[in-house]
Amino acid sequence: MKAQISYEFIVTILIFIGFFTYVMSQFLSFKVNSEINLNMENINLELFKISEILTKDTGYPSNWNENIASLKRLGLVLNGSLINILDMNKVNNLTIINPSRNYCYNITKYLDANITISLVIEKIYPTNQLLYNCTDINLRVFNLSIERVAVANDNSLLKIKIYGK
Amino acid sequence: MANKGQIHVTELVFAILLVVVSLYAFFPENLRLSSSWQIIKPKIEIYDFLSSSDKIKYLPKFLKNVSSEIQKLNLDFIAGKTFVLNNYPRSIQISCNCSNSTINLLSNATLNHLINSEKITFYFCQTHLESLNPCLGSSRILIIENLPGNNYYNFLQNLIENKYSLILYVDPNTNFNNNDIANKIFGINNSSRTSTLQNLTFDNSKIFLINNYNEEIYKNSYNIYKNFFGIVISLPTSLTEFVSNCVNIRAGLIYIYNSSYRHKFLICNSSHAYIDLNRNGNFESNEIFKAGDSLKFLGFKSNVTLVYIDNKTFTIGIKFDFYNNEFSDITNFANVFPIDNNNYRKVLVRSDGVAGLIVNTTRGKHVFFPKLNDFSEDKKALLVATLFWLAQRIENEKFFTNYFTYDYNYTFIPYEIVVN
């Protein structure tokens, strides 16, 4: 009869609303997951780039440790090294470039990093020794990290760990 | 038939199920962004660790006691990994398109030598290019004794497509110009060129450095060099000689450089051997040595290390020490050069640019190895180094495979590490 809503109509509306809600929730979760994954990809790429620069490049100028004021780009490889041996003098000079342990602002600047990072450099062989550490205390949890190992010019192994967020 | 206001329940349930199933079809898992970082990142990290450890010779110590070293190192990516060592082939088959006498010569030259203190057995079997018959069905190394004509070029190209490594074992005075096989497959010709020395060097902190760093050397000759300086050549005895104060009287000859450079040696007892370094036929008081001693043969530029003395099998083992630049004892290898003048394709280079052998890695791994009438100990080491390099193949199904070196009495010896 006129102006009467039948049960069939109600059920149909309910099914439609349910279906619409379900589709939107799936789409939104897909979108969110994609964004998270893309972000993680970006962080991983950035971490890899930073670790490569630190462990495979002398920095610019290549003898920046002799005159820290001249530093344009950070790199830890020994000036003139042919097989990417790291310079302990450059590692020790990181505390001059970025003295604060509470943020890595200058490290980030001289690496042109696009993410917030935390850097830890340790000697792992023949002895264990923390050589350098800077971390952003405002960001307590870091999503991702990369750990690289390299030889230093004192015949030791160094671990360079970079956290990123 | 339904009354007004009634819905068939089965129709309703079926419709809902259909909708839900089709939604899962619209949003499949593969629409999500996939990342390979979880696979690639550990590989990069482990490679860094292994190559760095190799550079400072920590790797052997690590591999001897993996579990305790892992705890000391405090590296996240290494925890839970297993390192399987020594997966390189221990018997290597080589097909040889050559005469019986050549096969005998090559077999004797490669007998009983040690790689990483283990014997690697080389089997040579005869075949013909016209009807190729690989040794035991598994050989992918083919030695060609005489330079084939251009009509064999396509045939050999086909072999290369099937992952064969070729060795051109011919008289270096052969005319290689205008031969496609020599020019294109092995990359050699007879044009004489002046070449600079490779400037290989070994710095005093025991890191293997190359002065004029060039990736070409890693691609080409580096692996043969690494093998060469790690192979321990086994020297048998067959003579009898009486020397006072010696219990054993078995003597042999060390053949270095050319046929006039034969040095007698005598296994005196389980720990000492006399070696006639100055080639005067006598064993002098300063010519008695023990395992680990360095030997300086008269007229030979490189030092040689006496690695072991075995008075049960009556053999001694020697290896060639790393030296700078010039390898003095290449003979009979005149007039063959890399066609692209790439100095790093040569192995063991003399001051005038002549080389012990020439490699070509443009497509696969192929070697020009000058034909010899006899093999001195250094040539044996060069042949074994070459065959071992050619036999190494990376299998894709392993998680991570790479070839590093093992420290054995301060030398390089090749092996493979598989990380799972």
Side-chain angles (χ1 to χ4, degrees):
Chain A
M1 288 186 287
K2 277 188 189 175
Q4 280 184 335
I5 301 173
S6 65
Y7 280 116
E8 286 161 337
F9 182 72
I10 292 169
V11 168
T12 310
I13 290 288
L14 285 175
I15 289 173
F16 175 76
I17 291 169
F19 173 75
F20 183 78
T21 307
Y22 182 76
V23 168
M24 287 310 294
S25 68
Q26 286 292 309
F27 174 73
L28 285 171
S29 84
F30 169 72
K31 181 174 179 296
V32 166
N33 281 335
S34 292
E35 280 177 0
I36 290 171
N37 288 336
L38 276 168
N39 195 33
M40 283 175 67
E41 280 289 294
N42 186 43
I43 294 172
N44 273 320
L45 272 168
E46 198 64 23
L47 287 175
F48 179 70
K49 178 192 100 178
I50 292 166
S51 66
E52 282 285 292
I53 292 171
L54 282 175
T55 59
K56 304 277 194 300
D57 191 62
T58 56
Y60 186 82
S62 54
N63 60 346
W64 60 260
N65 51 315
E66 292 169 16
N67 176 14
I68 293 178
S70 68
L71 174 65
K72 296 277 189 296
R73 183 181 73 246
L74 202 54
L76 298 177
V77 171
L78 183 67
N79 186 18
S81 170
L82 306 157
I83 50 172
N84 298 324
I85 308 270
L86 301 192
D87 188 349
M88 282 305 293
N89 186 249
K90 287 184 177 176
V91 173
N92 293 331
N93 276 330
L94 290 176
T95 50
I96 301 173
I97 294 167
N98 194 106
S100 172
R101 297 281 167 108
N102 294 329
Y103 59 85
C104 298
Y105 174 74
N106 284 341
I107 302 283
T108 310
K109 182 177 96 171
Y110 287 115
L111 288 170
D112 194 26
N114 296 324
I115 57 173
T116 307
I117 61 167
S118 169
L119 174 65
V120 177
I121 300 181
E122 280 177 47
K123 189 180 286 194
I124 57 171
Y125 178 82
T127 54
N128 287 320
Q129 186 190 350
L130 178 66
L131 298 174
Y132 182 76
N133 179 23
C134 75
T135 187
D136 193 322
I137 56 167
N138 295 321
L139 299 166
R140 293 198 188 154
V141 177
F142 284 87
N143 295 350
L144 296 164
S145 64
I146 192 166
E147 214 168 33
R148 306 294 295 267
V149 174
V151 175
N153 58 347
D154 62 351
N155 272 350
S156 61
L157 281 184
L158 301 190
K159 173 177 93 172
I160 295 104
K161 188 154 187 174
I162 308 158
Y163 299 84
K165 185 166 184 170
Chain B
M1 189 173 146
N3 295 327
K4 278 190 187 175
Q6 283 181 334
I7 305 162
H8 285 275
V9 173
T10 48
E11 284 173 1
L12 178 65
V13 168
F14 183 70
I16 289 171
L17 277 174
L18 204 61
V19 163
V20 169
V21 166
S22 62
L23 279 173
Y24 275 107
F26 287 146
F27 296 98
E29 278 304 312
N30 60 12
L31 273 186
R32 302 192 189 281
L33 190 69
S34 64
S35 171
S36 301
W37 275 109
Q38 283 177 339
I39 299 169
I40 296 296
K41 205 195 286 187
K43 283 196 179 188
I44 293 169
E45 290 167 337
I46 288 171
Y47 182 84
D48 269 358
F49 168 69
L50 291 176
S51 61
S52 300
S53 302
D54 188 39
K55 280 175 192 164
I56 57 168
K57 297 194 184 248
Y58 165 59
L59 192 57
K61 184 179 171 188
F62 172 78
L63 289 168
K64 271 185 188 157
N65 213 342
V66 172
S67 46
S68 70
E69 291 298 318
I70 281 179
Q71 284 175 1
K72 288 181 204 168
L73 290 172
N74 188 27
L75 289 168
D76 295 341
F77 60 79
I78 241 176
K81 294 276 187 293
T82 57
F83 293 81
V84 180
L85 188 63
N86 292 344
N87 280 348
Y88 50 79
R90 281 175 178 70
S91 75
I92 298 170
Q93 291 87 34
I94 300 118
S95 303
C96 199
N97 177 40
C98 44
S99 63
N100 285 332
S101 59
T102 298
I103 286 189
N104 287 338
L105 185 66
L106 296 175
S107 299
N108 287 333
T110 54
L111 201 56
N112 290 332
H113 308 309
L114 297 182
I115 297 176
N116 199 24
S117 44
E118 291 185 25
K119 275 189 205 161
I120 305 291
T121 315
F122 296 90
Y123 295 103
F124 295 86
C125 63
Q126 201 173 38
T127 187
H128 302 283
L129 289 184
E130 288 77 14
S131 57
L132 201 64
N133 176 31
C135 275
L136 310 171
S138 65
S139 174
R140 279 290 184 270
I141 304 173
L142 174 65
I143 299 178
I144 304 170
E145 188 173 9
N146 298 307
L147 182 66
N150 285 339
N151 51 323
Y152 281 98
Y153 178 72
N154 288 333
F155 170 75
L156 292 178
Q157 283 287 82
N158 212 25
L159 290 185
I160 293 169
E161 298 281 332
N162 286 308
K163 309 272 190 264
Y164 267 79
S165 292
L166 306 177
I167 300 177
L168 186 64
Y169 181 68
V170 300
D171 185 339
N173 295 313
T174 306
N175 184 358
F176 295 111
N177 295 336
N178 303 315
N179 179 286
D180 284 344
I181 291 162
N183 301 155
K184 293 179 185 172
I185 293 179
F186 294 95
I188 55 173
N189 66 5
N190 299 101
S191 304
S192 162
R193 290 177 176 83
T194 37
S195 339
T196 53
L197 292 170
Q198 291 169 330
N199 279 332
L200 304 177
T201 190
F202 188 85
D203 91 330
N204 55 10
S205 63
K206 295 193 167 62
I207 297 176
F208 184 45
L209 288 177
I210 297 164
N211 260 348
N212 297 323
Y213 174 68
N214 188 325
E215 281 190 11
E216 286 293 320
I217 202 168
Y218 287 106
K219 203 170 70 172
N220 291 299
S221 52
Y222 181 68
N223 284 310
I224 297 186
Y225 271 117
K226 276 210 314 189
N227 294 351
F228 176 80
F229 293 114
I231 286 164
V232 180
I233 295 295
S234 167
L235 295 165
T237 53
S238 57
L239 312 167
T240 53
E241 179 106 6
F242 289 97
V243 174
S244 61
N245 302 325
C246 282
V247 175
N248 298 322
I249 54 168
R250 294 290 293 269
L253 291 170
I254 304 175
Y255 169 21
I256 284 187
Y257 191 179
N258 62 37
S259 56
S260 64
Y261 284 41
R262 305 251 183 188
H263 303 256
K264 227 172 15 173
F265 72 91
L266 175 91
I267 296 178
C268 191
N269 51 39
S270 60
S271 58
H272 287 80
Y274 274 105
I275 301 177
D276 181 19
L277 296 182
N278 58 11
R279 228 168 45 244
N280 64 358
N282 298 324
F283 292 128
E284 281 137 27
S285 56
N286 63 346
E287 287 183 329
I288 190 159
F289 302 99
K290 59 186 188 310
D293 283 350
S294 185
L295 310 172
K296 187 78 181 73
F297 289 92
L298 179 68
F300 189 63
K301 286 192 180 182
S302 167
N303 275 350
V304 175
T305 299
L306 177 62
V307 176
Y308 68 81
I309 299 168
D310 188 340
N311 68 335
K312 292 189 176 55
T313 59
F314 301 111
T315 56
I316 64 171
I318 61 168
K319 62 161 291 298
F320 296 91
D321 293 344
F322 193 82
Y323 57 87
N324 289 340
N325 297 333
E326 186 181 337
F327 195 72
S328 65
D329 66 340
I330 309 290
T331 58
N332 206 29
F333 300 161
N335 217 26
V336 185
F337 296 92
I339 202 166
D340 58 355
N341 208 21
N342 182 347
N343 200 28
Y344 297 108
R345 288 177 47 208
K346 301 179 189 175
V347 177
L348 299 182
V349 185
R350 205 167 60 185
S351 57
D352 57 356
V354 161
L357 58 84
I358 298 170
V359 308
N360 193 14
T361 55
T362 316
R363 282 183 68 210
K365 301 189 282 193
H366 311 292
V367 171
F368 163 67
F369 195 106
K371 189 172 181 177
L372 303 160
N373 293 327
D374 200 355
F375 275 81
S376 54
E377 317 313 340
D378 46 293
K379 306 298 183 299
K380 289 177 189 171
L382 190 60
L383 177 63
V384 170
T386 303
L387 293 174
F388 191 70
W389 175 57
L390 295 179
Q392 291 169 353
R393 293 167 66 187
I394 294 175
E395 295 173 28
N396 294 326
E397 60 266 22
K398 293 193 174 84
F399 167 77
F400 176 91
T401 303
N402 212 315
Y403 298 94
F404 290 95
T405 53
Y406 178 79
D407 181 35
Y408 180 75
N409 289 340
Y410 304 103
T411 64
F412 289 105
I413 296 181
Y415 58 69
E416 177 189 61
I417 302 172
V418 177
V419 182
N420 292 312

